[in-house]
Amino acid sequence: MQELLTFTIIGLSTGAIYAVVASGLVVTYTTSGIFNLAHGATGMLAAFTYWQLRFDWDLPAPLALFITLFVLCPIFGLVTERFVMRGLQGTSEVVKLSVTVALFAFMIGLANWIWPSDSSREAFLKFYEGNKVSIFGINISWHKLITFGCAILVAIVLRLLLYRTRMGVAMRAVVDDRALTELNGGRPDRVAMFAWALSAMLAGLAGVLLAGEQQLNIEPLVLLVINAYAAAIIGRLKNLPMTFAGAAVLGLLDAYYLQFSDNSWFPQSIMGFGISGMRASIPTIVLFIALIARPQTRLRAGIVRIREHNKVPAWSTSIMGAVALIAIVVAISGMLTRSNTLLLLNGFTFAIVALSLVPLTGYAGQMSLAPLTFAGLGAIAMSKLPGDGNFFTLIVAIVIVALVGALVALPAIRLSGIYLALSTAAFAVLVTKLVFNQKQTFMSGNISVPVLDVPFFEINTPRGRLILASIAFSVLGLGVVAIRRSRLGRRLIALKDSPAAAATLGMSLTRTKLAAFAISAGIAACAGALAGDKVSPQQYDFTQSLPIVLLTVVGGVGTVGGALFGGLMLGGNSVLASVVPTLKNVTKILPGTIGVTLGRNPSGAASQIADAYRSLANRWNLLAFAAAGGIVIWILDAKYVISHWAFFIGGVFWILAVTPNLVGIMQAPRNRQIIASVYLAIGVIIAISVDWDNAVDSTGKRLIALVLLIALFGVGAQRVAENAPRIHRSSPDVIGLTTDFTDEELDRAERELGVVL
Amino acid sequence: MTQPILELRNVRASYGSIEVLHGVNLSVGRGEVVALLGPNGAGKSTMIKVVSGLLRPTSGQLMIGGRDVTGAAANALARAGLCTIPEGRGIFPNLTVRENLLMATYSGHKLSDIEESTYSRFPRLSERRTQLAGTMSGGEQQMLSLARALATDPVILLLDELSMGLAPLIVAELYQQVAAIAAEGVSVVVVEQFARTVLGVADQAVLLAHGKVQVAGKASEIGEDVLAGAYLGS
């Protein structure tokens, strides 16, 4: 009895922390409609900051707490809202989630950078460490009492704030009707900033409380806070009392499991299936159940405005692209060093995983955060099935994983948007915790996936595998194009554009969704099954899936080219880390940084570049030119003509400044074309000819030089090319009658009509 | 003639690349009721959006009280005394009646004053003060949105499609309230697709079609034939 009571208190105190986290999530979700996946990471950063102030710099606890929770956290929230989230209004759920994923990746990268885990650091002490009170003979630490107190305080303050103050009511009003809030005289932007600041404070409070119990580690802090998502979902993302109740239940479940699993009668495995990962999975299971128990998402009729439009890919260009891709890879793979080959191979593996998102997320509009999980299942299937790399084994492995994908999707099929995305995340975490750490799957930490057995070719070399991966991507890419052009493809698009309209036309939404999930899982499985090497479960971890999803969305999740771009960008990130080791830390935050700008206004840098790249996708001559330039710079580096730094700066300049400007330059009048080209040429020459290693003495200065180069010559060229005098745009119904169509208008008209070139 | 309280000077407005208003002029005098008429897609609601500050005109000027306020934020205009009841229901469905009234306090009035004025005019809302506004009947919801206009003492009132989806009897009742507001000296711009409901209370009528003002004149002078011509596109 005594023991049960003790565990109840432990459970409730964990629950109290979950409740604080979850209430912060609810605050931002209800005011901005953004489910902040990075919420836990905010708490993690706050805990580290507090540790820095309190234990490393020895500030007194109240001061450290004040600075962390009442100065830095609110500022962080304000900045996040102002510069990241505000641009997300009116974007699709996929983009919103991707941006919070980016923020998540960014913060983890940042924490890893500032506080590397291997440093032996001061311990993170509890509040009033060592002090206990005894109630009914049970010892409760002051820290736990404070935790309870905080949760209760948060509950009361939030209740009063949201229902008694105008700011709180305005926070709820903004969700109802943003424009009307403005018409009432309210300032929605301020309300949103307030909400994000408040939410960051709540995350920070929870992070500090949790770190006192769990010590300072990035992953447990982030993941434990993820557990609070389950509580928020139980509260349907808006009901605070239910959220608190859910948090309490979660905390109790965790504590009781801990208590019971200590007993000798508690099984270590069920039917030979180890359940050591069970405790960590409880919140995920609760999350899954809470999601499934949600009422079916109602179909909403009405006009759906989608900002992303993608042309239907044409066979001619697709086949040309596939052949060109393989040809380029075959050509350059001979020149690469072994390690560069492996990195590029990595990029192609990512690209195949990214490709699995195209039919699912790009076409059908269903968000999945678990693409790598299916790749992992594919790797397991390939290595466990008999046949040792037989082509037939590959097919069977793909089919099995596709079936698993459909099976997993079956319960989740009723969900949509954020709830669907979370259920795939729950699935990914479950598989990671319960399947990948089994003796039967990853025996000794890694398994070796047999190399595909191709007649007449020996592909058991990195180069062979690279070529195989590029062929696999091309073939699968063509398959995806075939799907898009088929009846099924049109159904997937219909599912995304208007589920309600599709349903009224008699289309089975369930079957279409299942098909999308199965296809996606199958493609991802291919990436795992073709690994042809030793693989470890960490490679397929849930957190590894996030950058892939993110960069695919950045690259353009609606097109095969976008998947390639996203995958290679992620691979390129590790190329960067290996070529310039000093930049390793920058590469940790790079995917996040790219993604964070994704949702910014169309004027945001990354989306602009992405747009420029997208318009590039239709122009093979320019695309070939861009690729050729990149390869030349790479070869110059590989042949030691230029230094690694020159390679890096030249490459980044090429990618960020030259390539996105090509289309603009093509469309400018001739004299401006020449000026802009000269601009870019000067930039490139400076980038690759300066002796960066010796002439400039620090990494920081080199990076500043790079930014300056891009700003001066890249943006300069863009200004020159695009500030060409423009014809006043007349009403669309007279264009073509009184004025001629411009190239751009023709492009747009074709895109709208889905006309194939 | 005294200076108009609200004036649009050659305003153009567009959604993305599609221009909807092609140079619109409008002048509303103090205490005047102007009816904005026109068929679907004429640009009436866009005009309301421009005046309320929700949509920034691409060119032209928006003058209020003789001052150029082109590009001012909607919330700033609202606090300055411009009250807009947008299309549909101008209420927050997931807030209670009382919380809806609390939102009206951005105008600078005290909640207690707003509540008193509202409940005395619409006793039915008093019974429903803790009920979620979205669960009330359409007429009650429209009363609530009008209550904001009545209680916050605006200088200019913009009404967009007040009658939408309501029974004729309720519409008549609501327009009586509008007439009462106008009698207090408030300038009112009313958008209506159904011309006849509004011409009774309006001083001036402006007929909009294809994003341009087709006819503007005294409400009493706008005849059936003019209306029919504009709506049917003669």
Side-chain angles (χ1 to χ4, degrees):
Chain A
M1 191 60 216
Q2 187 80 354
E3 200 188 2
L4 191 68
L5 214 55
T6 312
F7 277 95
T8 305
I9 285 169
I10 291 176
L12 284 178
S13 103
T14 315
I17 295 175
Y18 290 165
V20 174
V21 184
S23 59
L25 265 180
V26 171
V27 165
T28 43
Y29 185 76
T30 49
T31 47
S32 60
I34 296 171
F35 188 86
N36 186 10
L37 278 176
H39 190 65
T42 311
M44 180 270 301
L45 270 191
F48 272 91
T49 311
Y50 175 73
W51 172 85
Q52 183 72 53
L53 296 170
R54 174 76 184 90
F55 300 107
D56 204 31
W57 293 345
D58 283 326
L59 292 183
L63 183 64
L65 263 187
F66 180 81
I67 295 178
T68 309
L69 295 186
F70 293 97
V71 180
L72 297 177
C73 277
I75 290 177
F76 180 80
L78 292 180
V79 170
T80 313
E81 196 285 328
R82 179 64 191 83
F83 295 104
V84 182
M85 302 303 169
R86 190 171 293 180
L88 290 178
Q89 283 159 32
T91 56
S92 65
E93 200 90 55
V94 172
V95 171
K96 282 181 184 157
L97 259 186
S98 304
V99 168
T100 68
V101 166
L103 205 59
F104 178 90
F106 174 79
M107 287 197 278
I108 291 186
L110 199 64
N112 268 318
W113 183 2
I114 304 178
W115 297 282
S117 56
D118 51 8
S119 66
S120 60
R121 53 169 87 102
E122 301 277 324
F124 195 114
L125 300 180
K126 292 177 179 160
F127 293 120
Y128 303 100
E129 176 85 38
N131 284 321
K132 285 185 166 85
V133 288
S134 184
I135 302 173
F136 304 122
I138 300 160
N139 286 327
I140 306 172
S141 67
W142 284 26
H143 189 91
K144 285 208 166 45
L145 284 184
I146 291 173
T147 306
F148 287 129
C150 286
I152 293 167
L153 197 71
V154 164
I156 294 170
V157 168
L158 279 183
R159 176 81 201 172
L160 289 178
L161 176 80
L162 285 175
Y163 291 91
R164 291 294 159 84
T165 66
R166 189 171 71 181
M167 180 53 101
V169 171
M171 277 163 74
R172 291 158 52 221
V174 169
V175 191
D176 254 12
D177 193 332
R178 190 184 169 87
L180 186 60
T181 311
E182 282 217 57
L183 294 178
N184 268 291
R187 298 178 185 85
D189 289 344
R190 264 192 217 183
V191 172
M193 283 171 99
F194 178 80
W196 282 89
L198 179 67
S199 166
M201 283 164 71
L202 290 170
L205 174 64
V208 170
L209 288 172
L210 199 60
E213 299 276 3
Q214 310 268 351
Q215 277 310 313
L216 211 51
N217 273 318
I218 292 174
E219 199 175 335
L221 273 175
V222 173
L223 284 183
L224 270 169
V225 182
I226 281 183
N227 298 345
Y229 295 165
I233 295 291
I234 291 174
R236 299 263 161 86
L237 286 178
K238 55 185 176 201
N239 187 336
L240 279 175
M242 281 290 281
T243 303
F244 273 70
V249 168
L250 272 173
L252 287 175
L253 275 177
D254 182 62
Y256 291 150
Y257 185 87
L258 197 64
Q259 185 196 5
F260 290 127
S261 61
D262 259 3
N263 290 324
S264 53
W265 50 262
F266 200 83
Q268 289 307 306
S269 61
I270 297 171
M271 294 185 292
F273 205 71
I275 52 170
S276 55
M278 195 64 196
R279 183 189 165 203
S281 319
I282 291 175
T284 322
I285 294 170
V286 174
L287 175 64
F288 212 69
I289 295 171
L291 283 167
I292 303 298
R294 265 185 59 81
Q296 171 131 25
T297 328
R298 249 176 276 153
L299 291 179
R300 248 176 294 166
I303 306 160
V304 186
R305 289 195 182 81
I306 299 203
R307 297 215 297 204
E308 313 92 67
H309 291 281
N310 290 304
K311 247 189 207 176
V312 181
W315 273 124
S316 54
T317 45
S318 305
I319 293 171
M320 259 164 53
V323 172
L325 181 70
I326 298 170
I328 290 171
V329 169
V330 170
I332 64 167
S333 61
M335 293 182 271
L336 296 175
T337 61
R338 188 188 145 83
S339 63
N340 277 347
T341 309
L342 286 176
L343 287 167
L344 192 60
L345 170 63
N346 213 8
F348 268 98
T349 310
F350 286 142
I352 296 175
V353 178
L355 187 65
S356 78
L357 292 172
V358 172
L360 184 64
T361 310
Y363 296 166
Q366 311 293 311
M367 183 96 180
S368 165
L369 295 178
L372 267 182
T373 310
F374 291 110
L377 291 176
I380 295 175
M382 189 70 176
S383 75
K384 298 296 168 193
L385 285 171
D388 199 33
N390 196 316
F391 190 74
F392 185 69
T393 318
L394 176 69
I395 302 292
V396 174
I398 292 172
V399 169
I400 289 176
V401 178
L403 286 178
V404 173
L407 208 65
V408 171
L410 202 55
I413 223 88
R414 309 156 53 247
L415 308 168
S416 66
I418 172 69
Y419 298 103
L420 179 69
L422 280 179
S423 76
T424 60
F427 166 73
V429 173
L430 275 183
V431 171
T432 309
K433 297 257 186 251
L434 292 180
V435 179
F436 289 172
N437 67 3
Q438 295 296 325
K439 280 202 295 290
Q440 292 87 336
T441 52
F442 287 95
M443 180 97 69
S444 52
N446 57 45
I447 49 171
S448 69
V449 179
V451 179
L452 188 67
D453 195 16
V454 183
F456 313 120
F457 286 98
E458 179 56 54
I459 52 171
N460 199 7
T461 61
R463 186 184 175 198
R465 273 158 45 210
L466 173 62
I467 294 172
L468 176 67
S470 71
I471 293 174
F473 180 85
S474 303
V475 171
L476 290 170
L478 287 178
V480 170
V481 169
I483 289 172
R484 175 63 187 86
R485 297 181 60 85
S486 73
R487 186 183 160 95
L488 176 63
R490 288 189 294 275
R491 291 184 168 202
L492 295 177
I493 298 285
L495 181 63
K496 169 170 133 183
D497 280 359
S498 175
T504 52
L505 286 171
M507 187 179 109
S508 162
L509 297 183
T510 310
R511 248 186 289 165
T512 313
K513 277 189 191 176
L514 281 181
F517 268 95
I519 291 168
S520 171
I523 295 173
C526 218
L530 289 178
D533 198 3
K534 277 198 160 48
V535 291
S536 68
Q538 284 82 25
Q539 278 174 267
Y540 303 113
D541 194 75
F542 163 63
T543 47
Q544 301 295 317
S545 276
L546 297 180
I548 293 194
V549 175
L550 174 65
L551 289 180
T552 313
V553 173
V554 171
V557 72
T559 60
V560 174
L564 183 65
F565 181 60
L568 290 184
M569 210 152 43
L570 194 59
N573 200 26
S574 23
V575 171
L576 221 165
S578 77
V579 171
V580 193
T582 36
L583 278 181
K584 200 158 187 174
N585 287 320
V586 178
T587 63
K588 281 180 187 160
I589 60 168
L590 203 59
T593 320
I594 295 170
V596 163
T597 54
L598 168 77
R600 285 207 60 185
N601 298 325
S603 54
S607 68
Q608 227 173 29
I609 291 172
D611 274 349
Y613 271 95
R614 262 174 229 145
S615 53
L616 208 59
N618 308 327
R619 294 180 169 77
W620 281 99
N621 48 350
L622 295 182
L623 210 56
F625 177 72
I631 292 166
V632 166
I633 295 175
W634 194 345
I635 292 173
L636 285 177
D637 174 59
K639 298 283 169 202
Y640 300 103
V641 178
I642 57 174
S643 68
H644 285 335
W645 265 108
F647 159 71
F648 169 65
I649 292 177
V652 173
F653 187 80
W654 190 262
I655 291 169
L656 293 183
V658 178
T659 314
N661 274 326
L662 291 176
V663 175
I665 291 177
M666 279 297 282
Q667 288 173 347
R670 176 143 307 260
N671 57 338
R672 281 170 183 274
Q673 266 180 356
I674 295 169
I675 301 173
S677 308
V678 170
Y679 255 83
L680 291 178
I682 295 174
V684 172
I685 290 168
I686 294 179
I688 60 172
S689 61
V690 169
D691 184 10
W692 296 104
D693 297 60
N694 301 315
V696 185
D697 58 350
S698 78
T699 306
K701 284 184 194 158
R702 289 179 196 122
L703 289 182
I704 293 168
L706 169 63
V707 173
L708 280 179
L709 266 183
I710 292 174
L712 269 176
F713 296 104
V715 180
Q718 187 199 357
R719 287 279 153 79
V720 171
E722 294 192 350
N723 278 4
R726 291 203 173 171
I727 314 150
H728 179 75
R729 185 176 305 219
S730 32
S731 167
D733 30 45
V734 292
I735 293 175
L737 295 176
T738 54
T739 57
D740 283 338
F741 285 110
T742 62
D743 281 354
E744 192 194 345
E745 280 157 356
L746 278 175
D747 254 17
R748 223 188 23 243
E750 276 171 3
R751 216 178 312 148
E752 295 291 337
L753 297 170
V755 179
V756 181
L757 273 180
Chain B
M1 192 185 153
T2 53
Q3 196 180 34
I5 185 83
L6 170 69
E7 205 180 351
L8 294 186
R9 290 185 188 161
N10 201 18
V11 163
R12 291 171 174 272
S14 51
Y15 296 112
S17 58
I18 299 170
E19 192 174 89
V20 177
L21 295 181
H22 317 292
V24 170
N25 290 297
L26 177 77
S27 171
V28 182
R30 217 168 272 273
E32 202 178 19
V33 179
V34 178
L36 264 185
L37 308 173
N40 268 341
K44 304 183 300 282
S45 294
T46 307
M47 223 164 133
I48 292 288
K49 277 192 186 149
V50 168
V51 175
S52 64
L54 286 177
L55 185 69
R56 204 194 164 105
T58 41
S59 71
Q61 283 173 304
L62 168 65
M63 314 283 289
I64 290 180
R67 279 178 57 199
D68 187 352
V69 293
T70 320
N75 58 62
L77 291 177
R79 285 192 303 276
L82 179 79
C83 180
T84 314
I85 312 288
E87 202 173 355
R89 310 269 177 262
I91 56 146
F92 300 101
N94 289 312
L95 302 185
T96 64
V97 169
R98 193 159 182 276
E99 286 168 339
N100 263 283
L101 295 177
L102 181 62
M103 288 301 289
T105 60
Y106 279 106
S107 58
H109 291 74
K110 275 205 206 124
L111 178 61
S112 53
D113 295 347
I114 293 176
E115 278 194 283
E116 198 192 301
S117 135
T118 303
Y119 299 152
S120 63
R121 258 181 254 250
F122 304 108
R124 260 150 85 188
L125 292 181
S126 171
E127 298 160 22
R128 306 200 183 285
R129 65 179 82 186
T130 57
Q131 190 177 329
L132 287 187
T135 60
M136 302 194 300
S137 76
E140 285 164 343
Q141 291 184 18
Q142 208 59 291
M143 280 176 202
L144 180 58
S145 59
L146 260 188
R148 177 158 64 91
L150 290 163
T152 59
D153 192 19
V155 182
I156 303 169
L157 173 62
L158 307 175
L159 292 170
D160 198 354
E161 300 274 359
L162 198 59
S163 64
M164 200 195 251
L166 295 178
L169 208 65
I170 294 172
V171 174
E173 202 177 303
L174 289 173
Y175 271 107
Q176 274 174 19
Q177 295 287 353
V178 173
I181 295 174
E184 288 170 18
V186 178
S187 310
V188 186
V189 178
V190 194
V191 164
E192 262 308 335
Q193 214 177 327
F194 304 105
R196 234 166 272 140
T197 28
V198 72
L199 282 178
V201 284
D203 304 311
Q204 202 199 142
V206 174
L207 223 162
L208 212 61
H210 306 300
K212 281 190 172 143
V213 174
Q214 307 292 334
V215 184
K218 284 217 171 91
S220 47
E221 288 166 9
I222 300 263
E224 292 280 324
D225 49 334
V226 180
L227 282 176
Y231 277 71
L232 300 175
S234 61

